[in-house]
Amino acid sequence: MAVDPDRVRKELEAILGPRRVSMRAADLDTYAQDMWPRPLFARREGLRPAPRGHAVVWPETVREVAAIVKAARGLGVPVIPYGGGSGVCGGVIPIHGGVTIDLKRMQALRAVRADELVCDVEGGLSGERFERELARRGFTFGHFPSSIYCSTVGGWLATRAAGQLSTKYGKVEDRVAGLTMVTGTGDVIDTDGPSRALGGPNWTQLLLGSEGTLGIITSARLRMAPAPQLRLYRGFEVDSVAAGIEAIRRVMQRGLRPAVVRLYDELDTFVNSLGGGHHEAEPEPDERGPAPLPGTGALPHLPEAPRAESADGRISRFLELGKRKVAGLRRELTSAALARPRLVNGVIGAIAEKVVRRGCRMVIGLEGARIRTEIEAALVYAELERAGARDTGEEPGRAWLAHRYAVSYRMSPVFRSGAFVDTMEVAASWAQLLDLYHSVREAIGRHAVVMAHFSHAYPDGCSIYFTFLGQADDRAGSERLYDAIWRDGLEATSRVGGTISHHHGVGLLKGPQMRSEHREAFAILAALKRALDPDDLMNPGKLGLAAPRWTGGRA
Amino acid sequence: MIDGDPPGATATGDGGGPFADGALIAALATAIGGDHVRALGPRAWRVEPGAAGEVAEVVRLASEHRAVILPVGAGTRAPRLKGTGERARLHLALTRLDQVVHLDETSLLCHVQAGLTGSGLERVLSPRGLSIGDYPPTILSSTIGGLIAVRTPGKSSARHGFLEDAVVGVSAVLADGRTIHTRIAPRRATGPDLARALCGSEGTLGIITGAVLRVHHRPDSRLFAAFVLPSIDAALAATYLALREEAQPAGLRLVDAGDAASWYGEGVIAPGEALMIAATAGPTDLAACDRDLIASAVAAEGGRPADAGLAEQWWKRRFTPDSWPGPPPTFQVTATPARLRGAYHAICGAARAAGGEPRVHISRFDADGAVLFAAFCDEAGAPLAGAAAERVRDAAVAAARAAGGWLPGARSTALDPYLTALRAQLDPHGIMNPGALVA
């Protein structure tokens, strides 16, 4: 349908006034992208890769959001919600144009109910500010994604995000008491109530993760926890990935809930062992100090934003392997080597196994109320040691805690160098997990250098986080390689019974695999879509709900 | 809302008639065997398929003949006939689907058929050192399919959370006869949780034929404790103090003086006092920790220890409800943590004003709050009956609502238009339990 820009502007300005509507090219370009790496191949060559929307708007109330959706409906243009723009799947790209709604002016923490352990928060609030506000009052939401400085509460809810401490606090969908959403018809709905006791389907769970395709989450009632009084982080090591998986499984199935469980495979362990910023002197934290003070309580989870000099960590270390301890690897890690990933995976894997003689590194963290956490920690450590894990002391735990937000800031040197890096987070039950690890590693390893860690553990399974590094001669080659990695990696995941996304969401990236992920159950998603968004205007083309015309800048 | 009528709203109610019934019943008999299709009355049959594939065939035939499907579980709930009109009715019982399909002891996942009861599953798990979890034993007489398909309060424990959250995936038959299996993974970020559309849908969006549930190792230890507190208010305060210190009791019950007298004997506590009974479980150190956290919280609220045998006796009796000495509760309401105290006092006050003596206990503490159970008695301690019982109950219901509590069967009707639209999408002919979930 032809869209008349003047009419779009007029209708939006009637709702928001002229200052909160923009149709300038700079704004349209900015809001046409998130942190999905694929469009960067074109952008690296100075091209404008993504389709643009028609307008960007900044509403301040749920009523304004509803009015915008109704206006868009009248105009026949799509509506795309935008939070921090930290998504890595292209979920905000306006592939059919439309109005991008930036929710960051809706950022009130409206109520903090200490007696109910529930807070009422608007969707546009940044994660960092949210957690700082709660910490000031003696609470935590317990959600600490590495994107916490650049993501919003609404974005977390729309994608079913996970934080680094999810093993104790749960994923974001486990902590929602109710949602307010503007649906595709422009109506405002609330899903509050004793969610598991009210009759009918659990609407909260049917709207969480909808990535803007069913409506726009404008606020939510979220369950808080008291800020932890005690925080215990340690390192362990195990002989192999298989031994580490078994150790974690035993801990989780004894009913123990560490906050952080991380197991790095041989290559990831090796890259981490190359040093670089892990050992600078830091003040000794007093673990037994009073609860939420900086240095002891919730705030250490929010260290200062990574400084430039510390931002050359893991990934760039990965690139610079050769300069460091293993001189013989220098050549392998040049561009030429990245073009032969199978060889590199083999060579590095073999060297890594020799260098990291002691096997795979683990980080185990517990936190919470003082007495129970101490007792639970002793039980966790004992169970790990029974499973063959060796305690490596507090330093690895402390180092991880200090540097855990830095990884997202380390990607650009890789892209500047002409290579690319991305991550694939999949999950499966314990019985399938090792199979999933080997299958995906093999599938990605055909195309790129790949390493992995296991985190976000559950009594019934765990997620695996693959990091891969690839390079091709030109843009077209990079795009082909990138697409092949994702296609083969996700196909391998589905084949062994895993899920294609544990917490990054679907967006455009994983849309093609949504049918094989859900199989016949996709009919329910399609029905939900028609029930809540009959005109198909809410973030169209995402979640695999329609064949997108735009596939990531391919000519 | 959706413009105009949902598709199919006018297409229901046709295709019936005795002749069509004959063809339908013959086809059903061919599909699942004549022995499993039994006439119940005019235009009503009980059908008992013996496999998930047979359920799909039954639904497909019903869809073709526009007959209505009314799911029946273990018979703990009567089917609602509203909305069935003049159409043939198939009372679909999954009682023959009562098998454990697969037990994955590595992942602690159990794939069960929907007709298996909770206690039937427990009998399979128990010899293997496993358990469905510390859920209230009274709910386990229902079928797993019924427990999942109908959402009611109290299917939870502080230790194992909500039963609904133990469902990792479901298999179901949609109205057009298609079978779906949601993917099994601990958590996903692949759009909305589609299994949750079927959980709680009471068969309106699909018939659940199987589920994959998380199960648990039986705990190393179970410990029991009982305490006397100066009042119900103090008992609630102590409970939330302990829960905030992260105590995870396997069971916790607060009993007011009236209820304590009829269940545990006169003189256990004085009028106005409250009894707290608790069970903890898990690795021994953790079970002891949880018990001690509760004891400290009780001490902080001015309470004192009582005979732990009361708690042990209570725990055992939970599994044999018939052996209870007290009047069974006739009233229940769910309230959030901050509203429990107000709800308790409002209900007791209203009941007394209407001429009934309330006997109340509060249990099933979870993230949503807790459930308050009440029986109403006369001065002699006998349960009220007839008009007097009605009067007191009505007063209690009004008081509970005013205090912000949720009564069983409460629904968020504001979302009904979307549920109607979703039903219209998945079930255009309106054959799936049409009387359920309708305002």
Side-chain angles (χ1 to χ4, degrees), chain A residues 516-537:
Chain A
S516 59
E517 168 82 8
H518 292 288
R519 294 163 289 185
E520 294 286 324
F522 195 87
I524 297 177
L525 180 58
L528 265 175
K529 173 73 173 172
R530 287 190 294 270
L532 278 101
D533 178 27
D535 297 348
D536 191 19
L537 290 178

Side-chain angles (χ1 to χ4, degrees), chain A residues 114 116 195 254 520 530, chain B residues 151 178 220 244 246 336 425:
Chain A
E116 303 273 22
S195 56
R254 275 209 89 192
E520 294 286 324
R530 287 190 294 270
Chain B
R151 294 207 297 159
R178 253 188 299 187
D220 303 348
R244 284 192 192 196
E246 304 191 36
T336 62
Q425 289 294 333

Side-chain angles (χ1 to χ4, degrees), chain B residues 292-312:
Chain B
D292 296 348
L293 286 171
I294 294 168
S296 314
V298 165
E301 294 296 331
R304 60 179 192 275
D307 176 13
L310 290 173
E312 203 163 352

Side-chain angles (χ1 to χ4, degrees), chain B residues 144-215:
Chain B
I144 301 287
L147 284 171
I148 297 170
V150 182
R151 294 207 297 159
T152 52
K155 292 174 187 171
S156 63
S157 80
R159 199 162 97 86
H160 288 133
F162 298 90
L163 180 68
E164 186 175 303
D165 293 338
V167 179
V168 181
V170 297
S171 299
V173 174
L174 303 183
D176 56 7
R178 253 188 299 187
T179 299
I180 65 164
H181 308 280
T182 63
R183 189 168 283 273
I184 305 304
R187 285 284 187 285
R188 301 195 285 163
T190 54
D193 184 348
L194 301 177
R196 301 301 187 105
L198 297 156
C199 298
S201 77
E202 304 191 10
T204 60
L205 302 177
I207 305 290
I208 295 173
T209 56
V212 175
L213 303 176
R214 294 192 178 92
V215 298

